[in-house]
Amino acid sequence: MSRATENGLKPMDNCVVCKKLSSLKCSNCVKVFYCSVEHQRGDWKRHKRECRPFEVASNEKYGRYLIASRDIKAGEILLKESPLVRGPSQITCPVCIRCLQGIEETDINNDQVCSQCGWPICFECTNDKRVLRIQHDECAITVARGAKFSLQNYFNPHPTYQCLTVLRCLLLKEHSPDKWNKLIQLESHCDQRRGSPQWCNDREGVARFIPRFFKCPGRWDENEILKVAGIVQINGHEVPLTDPPHVAIFDQASLVEHSCSPNLTKSFTSKADLVFWAPNPIKKGEHLSICYSDALFGTANRQNHLLQTKMFRCDCLRCSDVTEFGTYFSAIKCRQNSADNCTGLLLPENSNQWDGVWKCNTCDRTVEPLYVRSILDRAARDLESLEKDSEKQLTKFIEHYSKLLSPNHYYICDAELTLSQAIGAGEARNLQQISDEQLQRKIDLCEKLLKVFNVLTAAESRCLGALHFELHAALAELGRRGMQNKDNCCRKIIEDSLKNAVETVRLLGHEPAELSEGLIANQTKANIEGLKLILASTAPSDI
């Protein structure tokens, strides 16, 4: 409970239980009043379904969106939600129709399929009686077509899977009207999608295929199927808990708007529930946002990705600033070999013209788009061809393209991020085997990348958490070497390692154990106890 004040006066409203006038609010959502703790506890079973520290707002630009209804502390969970529907990705190899995991070779050999409809089922689901009691959504409609589904090729993307998530959404209308009503209110961008390659593909590959394959003409009309396909495309979240990842659609989570520098991060539970939480404090009244693209893409790449997949052009604060908050994350160098040795950086003059002329911020030299594209395309190809565990190749790439790209360019940072993880990894992942020079290089890379990424996207918890872990491990090894050499500075180094370990757990603590980030968090918890023991058992004068 909290007593809220407004201009020095206590706002009053009726207790939702007894209607008695009260100034006591629910401290989480700060929307509902109670006259006593007893009434709040008695109403919790009802109220918990709507108790959220945000409220829904709307305008012409964003449609419906969420704003914080109170100040939110770092680490708070704002929303935990189960999906309205789950299904395979549109382009996927065959997966188990129940758990959505990829089909293993043993499943193929044992011909594991649903006895009624013929859709593939993995070995684990076939032997789980609890799972088998639940009929999967497409079973009845497949049986009704008069012929079982027959899958011949298990190793390549299968066109029939393209329609399954859309089909599961359509079937909600018949067996889960409440979920259907929530789903159909989500944005589909039908007008913007009409005529696009994706729309044409959905029309031919989904809207016309579903009635034909399942022999149910007239059950859903083409426009309805296309609208649902748009909802899946615009609102689908990739869930990495299966291999390959699958797609899930959520209700309230779909109201969280996009920003390339968001204030929320997204995690999943082991049961595939979605969790939105705040890595950093959020002020009352702020829009709540996540990044629909990859926050570590450059601006032009993020814009293209959002336009193709979500059908809008982003104008967030980061996208409106060509310098990307002074990091120059997308800039290239001006005159690398010129006589005047200009140290300026080239960027578009306007944030809306990344495919136009670029201008130097020092000497005003301009270059044509073809020049910029030639450098970036070559860098992309070279980066893609690198062996990700090769320190030599990664170092050579960084040295070469540092002559052409800004120090914080996204291709440089990408290679540096990979290198920071590759140093000391190997098969045994043993930092004790690397040289002092390599160890310091790893530390320097982590510190540099943390500085850049915290400016660009401070809510990118998985990437930041992984970097803090690498830095923690490297500092711990540096401290160990210092203790052997009786270095007076090594206690401070171990303390810094502990701080980074604690930050790793804070940033990755919501990740499930099924993901590598969750495993890192669990390992780091054990490391923290070890570091504490070292610090507790060693006096400062002993180090």
Side-chain angles (χ1 to χ4, degrees):
M1 302 282 284
S2 67
R3 291 183 178 272
T5 61
E6 194 172 274
N7 298 325
L9 301 175
K10 298 174 184 177
M12 307 283 284
D13 207 338
N14 294 328
C15 170
V16 295
V17 177
C18 69
K19 309 306 179 186
K20 179 181 177 181
L21 199 63
S22 175
S23 63
L24 300 177
K25 286 184 178 181
C26 170
S27 59
N28 185 49
C29 67
V30 297
K31 301 172 189 175
V32 177
F33 287 77
Y34 294 98
C35 68
S36 66
V37 173
E38 289 73 19
H39 279 186
Q40 183 184 32
R41 288 174 178 169
D43 189 50
W44 177 241
K45 186 175 181 180
R46 179 202 65 84
H47 179 56
K48 68 179 180 180
R49 296 191 295 269
E50 59 188 34
C51 186
R52 301 282 189 268
F54 54 77
E55 55 192 18
V56 181
S58 64
N59 61 26
E60 292 184 2
K61 180 178 180 180
Y62 296 109
R64 293 186 298 164
Y65 59 94
L66 303 180
I67 59 173
S69 57
R70 60 168 173 81
D71 288 347
I72 294 168
K73 298 177 182 179
E76 275 196 65
I77 294 177
L78 280 76
L79 178 64
K80 181 179 178 182
E81 186 176 12
S82 297
L84 294 172
V85 66
R86 298 167 61 219
S89 298
Q90 192 172 50
I91 300 177
T92 179
C93 294
V95 299
C96 172
I97 211 67
R98 296 181 183 275
C99 68
L100 302 177
Q101 289 283 2
I103 300 294
E104 301 291 339
E105 187 174 356
T106 54
D107 296 321
I108 300 171
N109 294 336
N110 289 296
D111 194 26
Q112 304 292 336
V113 298
C114 174
S115 60
Q116 298 183 62
C117 65
W119 283 98
I121 301 176
C122 69
F123 182 79
E124 288 77 11
C125 288
T126 303
N127 288 277
D128 190 334
K129 294 181 180 180
R130 294 171 301 174
V131 173
L132 290 179
R133 282 198 295 267
I134 304 172
Q135 187 181 58
H136 51 274
D137 294 342
E138 48 285 328
C139 188
I141 193 172
T142 305
V143 171
R145 71 189 283 262
K148 290 184 178 181
F149 176 69
S150 178
L151 183 62
Q152 303 299 325
N153 187 339
Y154 282 80
F155 300 102
N156 297 313
H158 198 283
T160 311
Y161 276 83
Q162 182 179 354
C163 74
L164 283 188
T165 302
V166 173
L167 177 64
R168 289 184 173 185
C169 291
L170 292 167
L171 290 170
L172 290 177
K173 187 176 183 179
E174 300 170 4
H175 62 70
S176 298
D178 290 343
K179 289 185 176 181
W180 168 257
N181 290 334
K182 292 176 181 178
L183 179 106
I184 205 64
Q185 292 182 50
L186 301 180
E187 185 59 71
S188 65
H189 288 310
C190 280
D191 291 339
Q192 296 94 318
R193 294 178 74 246
R194 189 175 297 276
S196 68
Q198 181 65 49
W199 183 88
C200 294
N201 180 65
D202 286 341
R203 187 184 185 196
E204 194 61 40
V206 178
R208 294 180 177 176
F209 177 83
I210 288 177
R212 183 173 67 247
F213 180 80
F214 292 101
K215 299 179 181 179
C216 57
R219 191 166 179 173
W220 306 285
D221 64 40
E222 184 176 285
N223 289 332
E224 187 174 37
I225 298 175
L226 285 170
K227 181 175 182 178
V228 170
I231 289 172
V232 172
Q233 179 188 341
I234 301 302
N235 300 279
H237 290 261
E238 183 178 87
V239 183
L241 294 172
T242 54
D243 184 17
H246 66 274
V247 172
I249 302 171
F250 300 84
D251 176 26
Q252 285 192 302
S254 296
L255 301 182
V256 177
E257 67 190 71
H258 161 80
S259 171
C260 294
S261 186
N263 52 19
L264 296 182
T265 193
K266 177 175 68 174
S267 302
F268 292 95
T269 69
S270 296
K271 295 181 179 180
D273 292 341
L274 183 146
V275 177
F276 281 154
W277 64 282
N280 304 295
I282 299 174
K283 291 292 186 182
K284 177 182 177 180
E286 283 189 35
H287 289 216
L288 302 180
S289 59
I290 60 170
C291 185
Y292 293 1
S293 184
D294 189 330
L296 301 185
F297 283 174
T299 297
N301 292 343
R302 294 195 315 277
Q303 293 282 13
N304 289 335
H305 179 254
L306 290 168
L307 198 58
Q308 291 175 13
T309 61
K310 305 301 181 183
M311 310 305 294
F312 71 87
R313 179 179 179 81
C314 180
D315 60 357
C316 71
L317 290 177
R318 180 179 169 188
C319 285
S320 300
D321 176 8
V322 293
T323 74
E324 297 184 68
F325 307 142
T327 63
Y328 294 92
F329 198 57
S330 299
I332 63 176
K333 289 186 174 179
C334 180
R335 297 180 178 177
Q336 298 82 20
N337 300 310
S338 62
D340 59 5
N341 196 28
C342 176
T343 59
L345 296 172
L346 294 161
L347 277 171
E349 294 186 83
N350 188 298
S351 61
N352 294 323
Q353 297 178 344
W354 285 87
D355 56 351
V357 171
W358 286 32
K359 184 177 180 180
C360 177
N361 63 355
T362 299
C363 71
D364 291 337
R365 174 199 181 200
T366 60
V367 297
E368 295 300 317
L370 186 61
Y371 171 78
V372 175
R373 181 47 52 196
S374 66
I375 293 176
L376 297 181
D377 285 349
R378 188 166 71 251
R381 289 193 301 270
D382 289 347
L383 184 61
E384 180 65 27
S385 67
L386 295 178
E387 294 179 16
K388 303 307 180 186
D389 58 351
S390 171
E391 294 181 40
K392 182 178 180 180
Q393 290 186 23
L394 289 163
T395 299
K396 186 176 180 181
F397 175 92
I398 294 167
E399 290 174 349
H400 174 71
Y401 281 100
S402 291
K403 302 172 185 177
L404 303 171
L405 307 175
S406 71
N408 296 334
H409 193 276
Y410 55 89
Y411 284 141
I412 298 291
C413 286
D414 191 330
E416 289 177 334
L417 178 61
T418 306
L419 179 58
S420 71
Q421 297 168 333
I423 295 175
E427 293 183 2
R429 190 176 179 81
N430 191 348
L431 290 175
Q432 297 182 18
Q433 304 301 318
I434 66 176
S435 66
D436 290 348
E437 182 181 9
Q438 286 176 296
L439 188 62
Q440 189 59 53
R441 179 78 190 280
K442 184 182 184 78
I443 292 170
D444 292 343
L445 287 171
C446 291
E447 290 178 338
K448 177 227 172 159
L449 292 170
L450 283 169
K451 184 177 180 180
V452 174
F453 294 163
N454 271 307
V455 172
L456 279 177
T457 176
E460 190 64 28
S461 62
R462 282 178 292 279
C463 178
L464 292 173
L467 278 168
H468 277 290
F469 174 76
E470 297 291 345
L471 182 54
H472 139 69
L475 288 171
E477 171 58 20
L478 185 63
R480 185 192 68 81
R481 296 182 186 186
M483 291 177 68
Q484 289 182 337
N485 299 326
K486 301 297 183 180
D487 187 341
N488 292 329
C489 297
C490 69
R491 183 178 179 87
K492 175 63 168 59
I493 293 171
I494 294 173
E495 289 173 346
D496 288 343
S497 174
L498 178 59
K499 290 178 183 177
N500 280 280
V502 170
E503 187 67 359
T504 298
V505 174
R506 186 184 81 84
L507 291 169
L508 301 181
H510 293 289
E511 301 301 316
E514 289 82 356
L515 300 182
S516 60
E517 293 87 353
L519 295 175
I520 289 173
N522 289 335
Q523 178 183 336
T524 308
K525 290 176 184 177
N527 294 356
I528 287 173
E529 297 307 314
L531 291 171
K532 286 180 177 179
L533 286 174
I534 292 174
L535 292 171
S537 62
T538 311
S541 59
D542 295 335
I543 300 180

